[in-house]
Amino acid sequence: MQIFTIILCAAVLIATALPFINSAAWWIRIFDFPRTQIAFLILVAIILAYIFLDFKWAYKLLLLLVLSASLLYQLRFVLVYMPFYKTQAKDSTNHSSETSFSLLVSNVRMESDHKERLNMLVKKYDPDILLLTEPNYDWAASISKLDENFPYAIKHPLENTYGMMLLSKLPLTESSVNFLVKDDVPSFFSKITLPSGTKIDFYGVHPQPPQPGSDTYERDTELLIIGRKIRESNNPTIVAGDLNDVGWSVTSKLFRKYSELVDPREGRGLFNTYNVFVPLLRYPLDHIFYSSEFGLTTLKKLEDIGSDHFPLLIGLNFEPEEDNTEDIEKPDADEKAEVEEKIENGKKESAEE
């Protein structure tokens, strides 16, 4: 048991230390994801080390202190999402049919054969806007049943798991399918017109995840390019999709800080959307970030539809006269420079592929 405990202690300390390295390498950035799981394993390591390690007390105490510090470090990433923590995005104070709308985001899993379950889900919750990631042409054919209820759409199905579709009951204008970093990974932009006549900017995204053979510079660059567009426009904005990143990662936090968007999960829960099939390894990968002009009316993780992601439903109300954020962070000069540097480096890396 002592050998197992030593191996476990070494593993959790390495997993905690690796993300400190400022690198886009997949084998480093992958440890940004399982903060809660690593924290649990550290707790197990502390208990086992106290009971089974036959070290001199001074060395044992030092190890226990290092493990305890690592546990606190891991927990700090997820504590902001606990219900006892203050919310950054405020609840709506002025709900109106002219300014309120709902958005359903779902990664459908391209290989899934449960296409009718999505159609039933959409009929059940009846969102005003529907963003789907991973649809291919088979999915597009199935989803066409919804066209009557969603007269406005951007459809770009692909067979590489990076297809996207945006369906809307609200008018879409100035719509575009963009390839910001890679030629086969699209993102969407559109202006959505609310019943009140107000136009809001909408970005739909699904960048590549960190995985063997694929580092994170493409994902990071795409998000930061969108962040720069948001900052330059200063318009009411929503960014949604499968970001293949957790809200507490360095890039995600830098993106939100630079674009001055809020995460409605903070103070409300993790709302883990991936992986449906592995309950012990679930992370919040699907996100809906938005600017301070919106108040929150609803935030729900929906039921399983046969995908490896749970759908996410949000209700928002456009109320620019209200202060709907608390302590929203703003970037300093160094962080602004970091964004520009990461964008340029990411473009160079992509061009060299």
Side-chain angles (χ1 to χ4, degrees):
M1 196 64 180
Q2 177 161 283
I3 293 176
F4 172 80
T5 301
I6 292 172
I7 293 172
L8 178 62
C9 290
V12 296
L13 291 177
I14 291 171
T16 300
L18 278 175
F20 280 100
I21 301 173
N22 186 18
S23 169
W26 70 268
W27 56 273
I28 292 176
R29 296 276 62 88
I30 200 72
F31 290 103
D32 285 331
F33 289 67
R35 298 290 186 180
T36 52
Q37 291 84 356
I38 294 172
F40 174 76
L41 291 176
I42 293 174
L43 180 60
V44 173
I46 290 173
I47 295 171
L48 295 181
Y50 182 79
I51 297 173
F52 293 108
L53 288 189
D54 186 21
F55 290 177
K56 289 184 178 179
W57 176 243
Y59 296 137
K60 189 172 182 177
L61 178 61
L62 178 60
L63 176 61
L64 291 173
L65 289 174
V66 172
L67 288 170
S68 298
S70 298
L71 175 61
L72 293 175
Y73 175 74
Q74 295 289 0
L75 289 176
R76 66 183 285 271
F77 287 97
V78 296
L79 286 179
V80 297
Y81 298 95
M82 298 298 101
F84 56 76
Y85 200 83
K86 65 182 179 181
T87 56
Q88 186 183 57
K90 295 303 179 183
D91 293 326
S92 174
T93 59
N94 186 25
H95 188 206
S96 166
S97 61
E98 290 292 299
T99 54
S100 295
F101 59 95
S102 57
L103 166 64
L104 196 158
V105 176
S106 180
N107 180 315
V108 297
R109 187 168 173 262
M110 190 179 77
E111 300 87 355
S112 174
D113 295 323
H114 303 286
K115 296 177 175 59
E116 192 56 33
R117 289 170 69 174
L118 172 70
N119 292 331
M120 292 173 63
L121 183 87
V122 173
K123 290 177 182 177
K124 177 180 178 180
Y125 290 99
D126 193 28
D128 297 301
I129 307 163
L130 175 64
L131 177 68
L132 304 176
T133 56
E134 284 200 31
N136 60 3
Y137 290 98
D138 286 343
W139 268 103
S142 176
I143 294 165
S144 65
K145 300 174 184 178
L146 303 173
D147 287 351
E148 185 177 348
N149 293 325
F150 295 91
Y152 307 96
I154 311 173
K155 297 182 179 181
H156 196 83
L158 291 171
E159 300 294 337
N160 65 353
T161 73
Y162 292 103
M164 278 204 299
M165 298 177 67
L166 177 65
L167 309 180
S168 178
K169 297 177 182 178
L170 305 174
L172 304 178
T173 57
E174 301 182 36
S175 302
S176 60
V177 179
N178 304 305
F179 299 87
L180 300 177
V181 181
K182 294 200 71 177
D183 293 339
D184 56 353
V185 180
S187 64
F188 286 174
F189 171 79
S190 188
K191 288 187 177 292
I192 300 174
T193 304
L194 302 182
S196 63
T198 299
K199 292 181 181 292
I200 61 176
D201 289 356
F202 180 89
Y203 294 88
V205 293
H206 183 206
Q208 289 185 314
Q211 57 189 1
S214 177
D215 296 334
T216 67
Y217 68 85
E218 291 162 351
R219 178 200 68 187
D220 300 350
T221 303
E222 182 171 346
L223 291 178
L224 294 177
I225 288 174
I226 291 173
R228 184 167 64 183
K229 290 177 180 289
I230 295 169
R231 188 171 183 83
E232 290 172 349
S233 73
N234 201 33
N235 293 332
T237 300
I238 298 171
V239 176
D242 174 5
L243 271 62
N244 276 315
D245 199 6
V246 285
W248 54 76
S249 77
V250 172
T251 299
S252 182
K253 291 168 71 175
L254 181 62
F255 163 71
R256 285 192 289 118
K257 199 171 183 180
Y258 189 70
S259 56
E260 297 183 23
L261 302 183
V262 297
D263 183 353
R265 279 183 167 99
E266 290 194 6
R268 293 186 174 90
L270 286 169
F271 296 88
N272 290 325
T273 56
Y274 176 88
N275 186 316
V276 171
F277 306 134
V278 189
L280 294 179
L281 290 175
R282 286 183 178 169
Y283 321 113
L285 297 190
D286 302 88
H287 298 276
I288 304 168
F289 301 141
Y290 52 88
S291 54
S292 61
E293 294 89 352
F294 300 96
L296 182 69
T297 61
T298 304
L299 182 63
K300 294 179 180 179
K301 183 177 75 172
L302 305 182
E303 56 263 35
D304 173 19
I305 59 167
S307 171
D308 50 354
H309 289 244
F310 290 103
L312 198 62
L313 177 71
I314 195 169
L316 295 172
N317 185 54
F318 181 72
E319 42 194 60
E321 69 283 355
E322 303 291 338
D323 182 6
N324 287 314
T325 59
E326 182 173 298
D327 300 330
I328 187 168
E329 294 184 281
K330 298 181 184 294
D332 57 29
D334 290 340
E335 287 166 329
K336 292 177 183 177
E338 181 182 358
V339 168
E340 297 302 324
E341 182 181 359
K342 283 180 176 290
I343 289 174
E344 293 308 312
N345 290 341
K347 287 181 176 179
K348 290 178 183 177
E349 291 283 350
S350 181
E352 291 173 0
E353 282 194 341

